[in-house]
């Protein structure tokens, strides 16, 4: 079992078995704000860490007493039953009290495969699709809540905590060189990487959206809201979405079976009766809109592919990145 955490804090002794776990689920995650370009390293005091934005399930990993692991989704659901091999590895290799922030990622044909994450565990096993947990932050060590510490310190402690581990547990690829981050942004799209996240090295870990963390995604990834469904409520085949500019689109191609189940579960109790939409056909409107993520093909504005429903407490990012605040006040030019 990894002994990471020794010597954290001046005069800190080793926690006993009863006080090792200082953070328990649920814990709200820290979220980056959308930006239109990778910021320069000197954009904030102390500079930035630039890490890959991966196409997976965001999850906090809590190692609790007895090696029990809780993989908390953004919607606060425990994903451990869906990813038992990852949970078992973390429980065996990390001590109780560690809390990681990271991404569950599936791989197929040498690239990240979000669609495979939506498949049941047994289907992934039969298809030989591996899943890893890619950690990018450390919230706690045994007996120590680290969220108030700067990212640079948390990152170094994360490296020590994961020393001696390997797949399916890894630390995210990161650099503090902006030029290298720009090279990654241009080169790794084909591998399923969504973009780059720039994080101020001085940033503490605080719940909610923050301008200290900035995500730069490829232009075809969009935030929107789900306003209606097409087809049977228990098995919808498409959804109606509203983009930040007010336009509505019917998603295509058809939802996959896991996507249809996800949409059906999250819209249960929120659907009004069917109505005729003059542009999109018969649709069941939602009484409460849900934030979603879409992919829009390059050069197209008339179609969108549904990716996922976001957690209910995660509204779409501000649609106009040119109005984002600068770290020192004011607005971007």
């Amino acid at each position: 079992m990894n002994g990471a955490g020794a010597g954290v804090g001046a005069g800190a002794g080793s926690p006993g078995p009863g006080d090792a776990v200082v953070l328990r689920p649920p814990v709200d995650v820290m979220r980056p704000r959308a930006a239109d370009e990778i910021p320069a390293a000197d954009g904030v005091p102390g500079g930035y860490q630039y890490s890959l934005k991966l196409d997976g399930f965001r999850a906090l990993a809590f190692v609790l007493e007895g090696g029990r692991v809780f993989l908390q989704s953004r919607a606060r659901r425990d994903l451990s039953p869906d990813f038992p091999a990852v949970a078992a590895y973390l429980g065996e290799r990390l001590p109780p009290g560690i809390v990681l922030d990271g991404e569950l990622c599936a791989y197929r044909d040498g690239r990240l495969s979000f669609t495979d994450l939506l498949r049941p565990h047994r289907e992934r096993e039969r298809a030989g699709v591996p899943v890893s947990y890619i950690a990018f932050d450390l919230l706690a060590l045994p007996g120590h809540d680290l969220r108030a510490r700067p990212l640079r310190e948390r990152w170094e402690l994360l490296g020590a905590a994961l020393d001696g581990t390997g797949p399916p547990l890894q630390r995210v690829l990161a650099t503090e060189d902006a030029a290298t981050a720009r090279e990654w942004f241009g080169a790794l799209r084909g591998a399923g990487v969504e973009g780059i996240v720039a994080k101020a090295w001085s940033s503490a870990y605080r719940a909610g959206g923050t301008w200290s963390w900035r995500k730069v995604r490829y232009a075809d990834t969009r935030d929107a809201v789900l306003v209606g469904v097409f087809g049977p409520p228990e098995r919808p085949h498409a959804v109606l979405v509203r983009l930040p500019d007010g336009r509505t689109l019917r998603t295509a191609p058809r939802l996959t079976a896991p996507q249809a189940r996800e949409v059906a579960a999250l819209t249960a109790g929120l659907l009004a009766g069917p109505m005729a939409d003059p542009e999109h056909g018969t649709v069941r409107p939602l009484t409460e809109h849900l934030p979603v993520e879409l992919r829009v093909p390059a050069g197209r504005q008339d179609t969108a592919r549904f990716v996922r429903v976001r957690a209910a407490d995660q509204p779409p990012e501000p649609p106009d990145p040119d109005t984002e605040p600068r770290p020192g006040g004011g607005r971007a030019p």
Side-chain angles (χ1 to χ4, degrees):
M1 182 174 289
N2 197 304
V8 176
S14 298
D19 57 5
V21 178
V22 296
L23 276 184
R24 298 181 183 276
V27 169
D28 291 332
V29 300
M30 187 167 176
R31 304 193 305 272
R33 297 289 190 183
D36 58 350
E37 61 182 22
I38 296 172
D42 59 0
V44 292
Y48 283 104
Q49 178 209 67
Y50 305 96
S51 62
L52 300 184
K53 186 180 189 307
L54 303 174
D55 191 10
F57 286 165
R58 176 85 176 269
L60 296 180
F62 296 81
V63 182
L64 305 172
E65 293 87 352
R68 185 170 68 89
V69 171
F70 190 103
L71 295 174
Q72 178 198 309
S73 74
R74 289 179 297 189
R76 300 187 170 192
R77 186 169 71 87
D78 184 12
L79 299 176
S80 299
D82 299 317
F83 303 96
V86 171
Y89 185 89
L90 269 61
E92 292 168 1
R93 302 300 294 270
L94 300 177
I98 276 190
V99 181
L100 307 175
D101 193 356
E103 203 91 7
L104 288 159
C105 296
Y107 301 89
R108 180 185 285 270
D109 299 327
R111 70 186 310 273
L112 296 167
S113 174
F114 180 80
T115 302
D116 280 304
L117 288 175
L118 298 171
R119 300 170 68 185
H121 164 62
R122 293 190 183 280
E123 285 188 17
R124 287 195 303 270
E125 270 196 333
R126 284 196 296 268
V129 176
V131 176
S132 288
Y133 183 83
I134 312 300
F136 51 72
D137 211 332
L138 180 66
L139 279 60
L141 284 169
H144 303 281
D145 185 340
L146 305 178
R147 290 175 294 177
R149 308 287 185 94
L151 172 63
R152 186 178 292 277
E153 184 176 347
R154 300 197 311 274
W155 179 251
E156 291 172 357
L157 291 170
L158 176 62
L162 302 190
D163 184 42
T165 63
L169 174 60
Q170 302 168 250
R171 193 168 66 156
V172 74
L173 186 62
T175 181
E176 51 187 333
D177 180 62
T180 298
R182 294 187 187 98
E183 289 179 12
W184 290 349
F185 188 81
L188 296 179
R189 185 175 188 177
V193 173
E194 288 191 318
I196 296 292
V197 181
K199 303 175 181 180
W201 277 122
S202 60
S203 59
Y205 192 99
R206 297 187 176 91
T210 173
W211 295 112
S212 296
W213 291 10
R214 297 168 177 227
K215 61 182 177 183
V216 184
R217 296 188 297 190
Y218 298 112
D220 62 357
T221 301
R222 303 281 180 86
D223 288 315
V225 291
L226 193 158
V227 298
V229 303
F230 298 95
E234 66 279 3
R235 187 66 181 269
H237 50 71
V239 296
L240 183 66
V241 297
R242 179 176 295 131
L243 301 177
D245 61 10
R247 290 183 299 123
T248 57
L249 293 176
R250 177 174 177 151
T251 59
R254 291 176 67 96
L255 301 179
T256 65
Q259 288 174 333
R261 289 194 293 269
E262 176 195 16
V263 170
L266 293 173
T267 58
L270 299 179
L271 294 178
M275 61 171 287
D277 184 288
E279 183 178 358
H280 303 292
T282 302
V283 61
R284 294 178 182 269
L286 267 67
T287 57
E288 177 184 332
H289 297 168
L290 300 175
V292 296
E293 182 178 321
L294 308 172
R295 294 243 169 86
V296 179
R300 296 285 300 275
Q301 297 296 321
D302 58 345
T303 186
R305 177 189 293 269
F306 173 85
V307 176
R308 70 188 105 186
V309 177
R310 293 196 177 278
D313 62 348
Q314 287 190 281
E317 299 293 346
D320 183 5
D322 290 336
T323 64
E324 71 179 50
R326 282 184 174 276
R331 299 284 179 179

